[in-house]
PDB file of all heavy atoms in Angstrom:
ATOM      1  N   MET A1281      47.795 -19.948  17.848  1.00 53.00           N
ATOM      2  CA  MET A1281      48.530 -18.677  17.899  1.00 53.00           C
ATOM      3  C   MET A1281      50.017 -18.959  17.774  1.00 53.00           C
ATOM      4  O   MET A1281      50.529 -19.898  18.355  1.00 53.00           O
ATOM      5  CB  MET A1281      48.228 -18.012  19.248  1.00 53.00           C
ATOM      6  CG  MET A1281      49.006 -16.761  19.528  1.00 53.00           C
ATOM      7  SD  MET A1281      48.504 -16.084  21.130  1.00 53.00           S
ATOM      8  CE  MET A1281      50.081 -15.469  21.716  1.00 53.00           C
ATOM      9  N   THR A1282      50.657 -18.131  16.999  1.00 68.00           N
ATOM     10  CA  THR A1282      52.101 -18.250  16.856  1.00 68.00           C
ATOM     11  C   THR A1282      52.740 -17.996  18.217  1.00 68.00           C
ATOM     12  O   THR A1282      52.249 -17.185  18.988  1.00 68.00           O
ATOM     13  CB  THR A1282      52.607 -17.197  15.852  1.00 68.00           C
ATOM     14  OG1 THR A1282      51.756 -17.233  14.718  1.00 68.00           O
ATOM     15  CG2 THR A1282      54.030 -17.469  15.436  1.00 68.00           C
ATOM     16  N   ARG A1283      53.841 -18.712  18.508  1.00 75.00           N
ATOM     17  CA  ARG A1283      54.508 -18.499  19.785  1.00 75.00           C
ATOM     18  C   ARG A1283      55.117 -17.099  19.801  1.00 75.00           C
ATOM     19  O   ARG A1283      55.800 -16.691  18.868  1.00 75.00           O
ATOM     20  CB  ARG A1283      55.603 -19.552  19.972  1.00 75.00           C
ATOM     21  CG  ARG A1283      56.280 -19.479  21.320  1.00 75.00           C
ATOM     22  CD  ARG A1283      57.238 -20.660  21.470  1.00 75.00           C
ATOM     23  NE  ARG A1283      58.173 -20.448  22.553  1.00 75.00           N
ATOM     24  CZ  ARG A1283      57.914 -20.737  23.827  1.00 75.00           C
ATOM     25  NH1 ARG A1283      56.751 -21.207  24.166  1.00 75.00           N
ATOM     26  NH2 ARG A1283      58.816 -20.529  24.756  1.00 75.00           N
ATOM     27  N   LEU A1284      54.842 -16.398  20.884  1.00 79.00           N
ATOM     28  CA  LEU A1284      55.422 -15.061  21.020  1.00 79.00           C
ATOM     29  C   LEU A1284      56.917 -15.202  21.276  1.00 79.00           C
ATOM     30  O   LEU A1284      57.368 -16.166  21.880  1.00 79.00           O
ATOM     31  CB  LEU A1284      54.767 -14.317  22.183  1.00 79.00           C
ATOM     32  CG  LEU A1284      53.304 -13.944  21.964  1.00 79.00           C
ATOM     33  CD1 LEU A1284      52.678 -13.481  23.267  1.00 79.00           C
ATOM     34  CD2 LEU A1284      53.175 -12.872  20.903  1.00 79.00           C
ATOM     35  N   VAL A1336      51.782 -16.807  36.701  1.00 98.00           N
ATOM     36  CA  VAL A1336      52.659 -17.954  36.966  1.00 98.00           C
ATOM     37  C   VAL A1336      53.489 -18.286  35.720  1.00 98.00           C
ATOM     38  O   VAL A1336      52.919 -18.650  34.685  1.00 98.00           O
ATOM     39  CB  VAL A1336      51.823 -19.193  37.367  1.00 98.00           C
ATOM     40  CG1 VAL A1336      52.747 -20.373  37.672  1.00 98.00           C
ATOM     41  CG2 VAL A1336      50.926 -18.889  38.561  1.00 98.00           C
ATOM     42  N   PRO A1337      54.824 -18.172  35.798  1.00 98.00           N
ATOM     43  CA  PRO A1337      55.657 -18.582  34.656  1.00 98.00           C
ATOM     44  C   PRO A1337      55.577 -20.097  34.483  1.00 98.00           C
ATOM     45  O   PRO A1337      55.607 -20.839  35.470  1.00 98.00           O
ATOM     46  CB  PRO A1337      57.076 -18.159  35.062  1.00 98.00           C
ATOM     47  CG  PRO A1337      56.888 -17.165  36.179  1.00 98.00           C
ATOM     48  CD  PRO A1337      55.632 -17.592  36.889  1.00 98.00           C
ATOM     49  N   ILE A1338      55.455 -20.528  33.257  1.00 98.00           N
ATOM     50  CA  ILE A1338      55.326 -21.969  32.963  1.00 98.00           C
ATOM     51  C   ILE A1338      56.540 -22.414  32.137  1.00 98.00           C
ATOM     52  O   ILE A1338      56.822 -21.857  31.069  1.00 98.00           O
ATOM     53  CB  ILE A1338      54.010 -22.245  32.187  1.00 98.00           C
ATOM     54  CG1 ILE A1338      52.784 -21.802  33.021  1.00 98.00           C
ATOM     55  CG2 ILE A1338      53.921 -23.708  31.792  1.00 98.00           C
ATOM     56  CD1 ILE A1338      52.520 -22.600  34.286  1.00 98.00           C
ATOM     57  N   THR A1339      57.224 -23.441  32.658  1.00 98.00           N
ATOM     58  CA  THR A1339      58.477 -23.870  32.008  1.00 98.00           C
ATOM     59  C   THR A1339      58.285 -25.053  31.068  1.00 98.00           C
ATOM     60  O   THR A1339      59.218 -25.435  30.370  1.00 98.00           O
ATOM     61  CB  THR A1339      59.530 -24.277  33.062  1.00 98.00           C
ATOM     62  OG1 THR A1339      59.077 -25.461  33.723  1.00 98.00           O
ATOM     63  CG2 THR A1339      59.782 -23.179  34.075  1.00 98.00           C
ATOM     64  N   SER A1340      57.102 -25.627  31.047  1.00 97.00           N
ATOM     65  CA  SER A1340      56.915 -26.853  30.254  1.00 97.00           C
ATOM     66  C   SER A1340      57.014 -26.553  28.755  1.00 97.00           C
ATOM     67  O   SER A1340      56.958 -25.393  28.333  1.00 97.00           O
ATOM     68  CB  SER A1340      55.562 -27.494  30.566  1.00 97.00           C
ATOM     69  OG  SER A1340      54.531 -26.683  30.055  1.00 97.00           O
ATOM     70  N   GLY A1343      59.196 -23.798  27.123  1.00 97.00           N
ATOM     71  CA  GLY A1343      59.740 -23.084  28.277  1.00 97.00           C
ATOM     72  C   GLY A1343      59.307 -21.643  28.412  1.00 97.00           C
ATOM     73  O   GLY A1343      58.446 -21.147  27.680  1.00 97.00           O
ATOM     74  N   VAL A1344      59.942 -20.991  29.376  1.00 98.00           N
ATOM     75  CA  VAL A1344      59.614 -19.593  29.683  1.00 98.00           C
ATOM     76  C   VAL A1344      60.048 -18.695  28.522  1.00 98.00           C
ATOM     77  O   VAL A1344      61.112 -18.891  27.948  1.00 98.00           O
ATOM     78  CB  VAL A1344      60.325 -19.189  31.000  1.00 98.00           C
ATOM     79  CG1 VAL A1344      60.446 -17.687  31.125  1.00 98.00           C
ATOM     80  CG2 VAL A1344      59.596 -19.778  32.205  1.00 98.00           C
ATOM     81  N   ILE A1345      59.205 -17.722  28.166  1.00 97.00           N
ATOM     82  CA  ILE A1345      59.572 -16.701  27.183  1.00 97.00           C
ATOM     83  C   ILE A1345      60.008 -15.482  27.983  1.00 97.00           C
ATOM     84  O   ILE A1345      59.222 -14.950  28.786  1.00 97.00           O
ATOM     85  CB  ILE A1345      58.384 -16.332  26.271  1.00 97.00           C
ATOM     86  CG1 ILE A1345      57.934 -17.545  25.456  1.00 97.00           C
ATOM     87  CG2 ILE A1345      58.742 -15.162  25.363  1.00 97.00           C
ATOM     88  CD1 ILE A1345      56.661 -17.322  24.656  1.00 97.00           C
ATOM     89  N   PHE A1348      57.671 -12.502  29.127  1.00 97.00           N
ATOM     90  CA  PHE A1348      56.233 -12.790  28.959  1.00 97.00           C
ATOM     91  C   PHE A1348      55.452 -12.518  30.250  1.00 97.00           C
ATOM     92  O   PHE A1348      54.497 -11.732  30.258  1.00 97.00           O
ATOM     93  CB  PHE A1348      56.031 -14.238  28.498  1.00 97.00           C
ATOM     94  CG  PHE A1348      54.583 -14.599  28.291  1.00 97.00           C
ATOM     95  CD1 PHE A1348      53.921 -14.249  27.124  1.00 97.00           C
ATOM     96  CD2 PHE A1348      53.865 -15.274  29.274  1.00 97.00           C
ATOM     97  CE1 PHE A1348      52.580 -14.566  26.934  1.00 97.00           C
ATOM     98  CE2 PHE A1348      52.527 -15.593  29.101  1.00 97.00           C
ATOM     99  CZ  PHE A1348      51.888 -15.236  27.929  1.00 97.00           C
ATOM    100  N   SER A1349      55.878 -13.154  31.344  1.00 98.00           N
ATOM    101  CA  SER A1349      55.133 -12.971  32.607  1.00 98.00           C
ATOM    102  C   SER A1349      55.155 -11.511  33.043  1.00 98.00           C
ATOM    103  O   SER A1349      54.146 -10.975  33.510  1.00 98.00           O
ATOM    104  CB  SER A1349      55.736 -13.846  33.713  1.00 98.00           C
ATOM    105  OG  SER A1349      55.541 -15.199  33.422  1.00 98.00           O
ATOM    106  N   ALA A1388      50.429 -19.407  30.901  1.00 98.00           N
ATOM    107  CA  ALA A1388      50.401 -19.873  29.505  1.00 98.00           C
ATOM    108  C   ALA A1388      51.458 -20.924  29.264  1.00 98.00           C
ATOM    109  O   ALA A1388      52.601 -20.786  29.705  1.00 98.00           O
ATOM    110  CB  ALA A1388      50.650 -18.689  28.563  1.00 98.00           C
ATOM    111  N   ASP A1389      51.069 -21.992  28.554  1.00 98.00           N
ATOM    112  CA  ASP A1389      52.082 -22.909  28.020  1.00 98.00           C
ATOM    113  C   ASP A1389      52.104 -22.706  26.507  1.00 98.00           C
ATOM    114  O   ASP A1389      51.686 -21.652  26.004  1.00 98.00           O
ATOM    115  CB  ASP A1389      51.828 -24.357  28.462  1.00 98.00           C
ATOM    116  CG  ASP A1389      50.545 -24.944  27.898  1.00 98.00           C
ATOM    117  OD1 ASP A1389      49.928 -24.306  27.012  1.00 98.00           O
ATOM    118  OD2 ASP A1389      50.160 -26.034  28.329  1.00 98.00           O
ATOM    119  N   ASP A1390      52.554 -23.700  25.763  1.00 96.00           N
ATOM    120  CA  ASP A1390      52.684 -23.513  24.315  1.00 96.00           C
ATOM    121  C   ASP A1390      51.343 -23.544  23.588  1.00 96.00           C
ATOM    122  O   ASP A1390      51.261 -23.123  22.433  1.00 96.00           O
ATOM    123  CB  ASP A1390      53.595 -24.604  23.722  1.00 96.00           C
ATOM    124  CG  ASP A1390      54.998 -24.531  24.293  1.00 96.00           C
ATOM    125  OD1 ASP A1390      55.379 -23.455  24.797  1.00 96.00           O
ATOM    126  OD2 ASP A1390      55.706 -25.549  24.250  1.00 96.00           O
ATOM    127  N   ASN A1391      50.321 -24.032  24.249  1.00 96.00           N
ATOM    128  CA  ASN A1391      49.032 -24.185  23.564  1.00 96.00           C
ATOM    129  C   ASN A1391      47.904 -23.350  24.139  1.00 96.00           C
ATOM    130  O   ASN A1391      46.986 -22.978  23.413  1.00 96.00           O
ATOM    131  CB  ASN A1391      48.591 -25.660  23.603  1.00 96.00           C
ATOM    132  CG  ASN A1391      49.591 -26.541  22.916  1.00 96.00           C
ATOM    133  OD1 ASN A1391      49.976 -26.273  21.783  1.00 96.00           O
ATOM    134  ND2 ASN A1391      50.054 -27.563  23.608  1.00 96.00           N
ATOM    135  N   ARG A1392      47.936 -23.104  25.431  1.00 97.00           N
ATOM    136  CA  ARG A1392      46.835 -22.378  26.061  1.00 97.00           C
ATOM    137  C   ARG A1392      47.367 -21.236  26.902  1.00 97.00           C
ATOM    138  O   ARG A1392      48.448 -21.326  27.468  1.00 97.00           O
ATOM    139  CB  ARG A1392      46.023 -23.296  26.999  1.00 97.00           C
ATOM    140  CG  ARG A1392      45.357 -24.493  26.370  1.00 97.00           C
ATOM    141  CD  ARG A1392      44.138 -24.137  25.535  1.00 97.00           C
ATOM    142  NE  ARG A1392      43.017 -23.506  26.232  1.00 97.00           N
ATOM    143  CZ  ARG A1392      41.976 -24.162  26.729  1.00 97.00           C
ATOM    144  NH1 ARG A1392      41.920 -25.474  26.695  1.00 97.00           N
ATOM    145  NH2 ARG A1392      40.961 -23.515  27.281  1.00 97.00           N
ATOM    146  N   PHE A1393      46.567 -20.186  26.988  1.00 98.00           N
ATOM    147  CA  PHE A1393      46.867 -19.059  27.861  1.00 98.00           C
ATOM    148  C   PHE A1393      45.541 -18.749  28.529  1.00 98.00           C
ATOM    149  O   PHE A1393      44.569 -18.426  27.851  1.00 98.00           O
ATOM    150  CB  PHE A1393      47.391 -17.900  27.008  1.00 98.00           C
ATOM    151  CG  PHE A1393      47.652 -16.610  27.738  1.00 98.00           C
ATOM    152  CD1 PHE A1393      47.820 -16.554  29.118  1.00 98.00           C
ATOM    153  CD2 PHE A1393      47.778 -15.418  27.020  1.00 98.00           C
ATOM    154  CE1 PHE A1393      48.069 -15.360  29.766  1.00 98.00           C
ATOM    155  CE2 PHE A1393      48.033 -14.219  27.657  1.00 98.00           C
ATOM    156  CZ  PHE A1393      48.175 -14.193  29.037  1.00 98.00           C
ATOM    157  N   ASP A1405      39.836 -17.991  28.168  1.00 98.00           N
ATOM    158  CA  ASP A1405      40.921 -18.414  27.295  1.00 98.00           C
ATOM    159  C   ASP A1405      41.394 -17.241  26.419  1.00 98.00           C
ATOM    160  O   ASP A1405      40.598 -16.383  26.023  1.00 98.00           O
ATOM    161  CB  ASP A1405      40.394 -19.551  26.421  1.00 98.00           C
ATOM    162  CG  ASP A1405      41.448 -20.091  25.503  1.00 98.00           C
ATOM    163  OD1 ASP A1405      42.180 -20.989  25.941  1.00 98.00           O
ATOM    164  OD2 ASP A1405      41.560 -19.603  24.362  1.00 98.00           O
ATOM    165  N   ASN A1406      42.670 -17.243  26.110  1.00 98.00           N
ATOM    166  CA  ASN A1406      43.244 -16.155  25.312  1.00 98.00           C
ATOM    167  C   ASN A1406      42.670 -16.083  23.891  1.00 98.00           C
ATOM    168  O   ASN A1406      42.497 -14.983  23.357  1.00 98.00           O
ATOM    169  CB  ASN A1406      44.762 -16.308  25.254  1.00 98.00           C
ATOM    170  CG  ASN A1406      45.426 -15.248  24.418  1.00 98.00           C
ATOM    171  OD1 ASN A1406      45.889 -15.520  23.315  1.00 98.00           O
ATOM    172  ND2 ASN A1406      45.459 -14.028  24.916  1.00 98.00           N
ATOM    173  N   SER A1407      42.364 -17.219  23.287  1.00 98.00           N
ATOM    174  CA  SER A1407      41.794 -17.174  21.927  1.00 98.00           C
ATOM    175  C   SER A1407      40.443 -16.472  21.960  1.00 98.00           C
ATOM    176  O   SER A1407      40.140 -15.633  21.103  1.00 98.00           O
ATOM    177  CB  SER A1407      41.606 -18.587  21.359  1.00 98.00           C
ATOM    178  OG  SER A1407      42.840 -19.213  21.236  1.00 98.00           O
ATOM    179  N   VAL A1438      41.076 -18.338  17.036  1.00 98.00           N
ATOM    180  CA  VAL A1438      40.684 -16.929  17.138  1.00 98.00           C
ATOM    181  C   VAL A1438      39.686 -16.580  16.031  1.00 98.00           C
ATOM    182  O   VAL A1438      38.643 -15.969  16.283  1.00 98.00           O
ATOM    183  CB  VAL A1438      41.928 -16.002  17.078  1.00 98.00           C
ATOM    184  CG1 VAL A1438      41.510 -14.538  17.042  1.00 98.00           C
ATOM    185  CG2 VAL A1438      42.844 -16.255  18.285  1.00 98.00           C
TER     186      VAL A1438
HETATM  187  O1  2YJ B1785      55.417 -18.739  30.977  1.00 58.74           O
HETATM  188  C1  2YJ B1785      56.030 -18.490  29.921  1.00 58.74           C
HETATM  189  O2  2YJ B1785      56.889 -17.592  29.845  1.00 58.74           O
HETATM  190  C2  2YJ B1785      55.694 -19.295  28.689  1.00 58.74           C
HETATM  191  N1  2YJ B1785      55.298 -20.625  29.019  1.00 58.74           N
HETATM  192  C3  2YJ B1785      54.693 -18.516  27.911  1.00 58.74           C
HETATM  193  C4  2YJ B1785      54.179 -19.201  26.676  1.00 58.74           C
HETATM  194  C5  2YJ B1785      53.306 -18.277  25.880  1.00 58.74           C
HETATM  195  N2  2YJ B1785      52.509 -19.028  24.986  1.00 58.74           N
HETATM  196  C6  2YJ B1785      52.407 -18.728  23.707  1.00 58.74           C
HETATM  197  O3  2YJ B1785      52.963 -17.802  23.138  1.00 58.74           O
HETATM  198  C7  2YJ B1785      51.445 -19.614  23.029  1.00 58.74           C
HETATM  199  N3  2YJ B1785      51.617 -19.599  21.625  1.00 58.74           N
HETATM  200  C8  2YJ B1785      50.093 -19.131  23.504  1.00 58.74           C
HETATM  201  C9  2YJ B1785      48.963 -19.870  22.984  1.00 58.74           C
HETATM  202  C10 2YJ B1785      47.732 -19.045  23.248  1.00 58.74           C
HETATM  203  C11 2YJ B1785      46.684 -19.359  22.259  1.00 58.74           C
HETATM  204  N4  2YJ B1785      45.758 -18.284  22.117  1.00 58.74           N
END
Side-chain angles (χ1 to χ4, degrees):
M1281 174 179 143
T1282 313
R1283 185 174 164 85
L1284 292 168
V1336 181
I1338 300 293
T1339 67
S1340 70
V1344 160
I1345 297 173
F1348 181 81
S1349 293
D1389 65 10
D1390 298 339
N1391 300 309
R1392 299 286 298 266
F1393 175 19
D1405 182 87
N1406 178 253
S1407 297
V1438 174

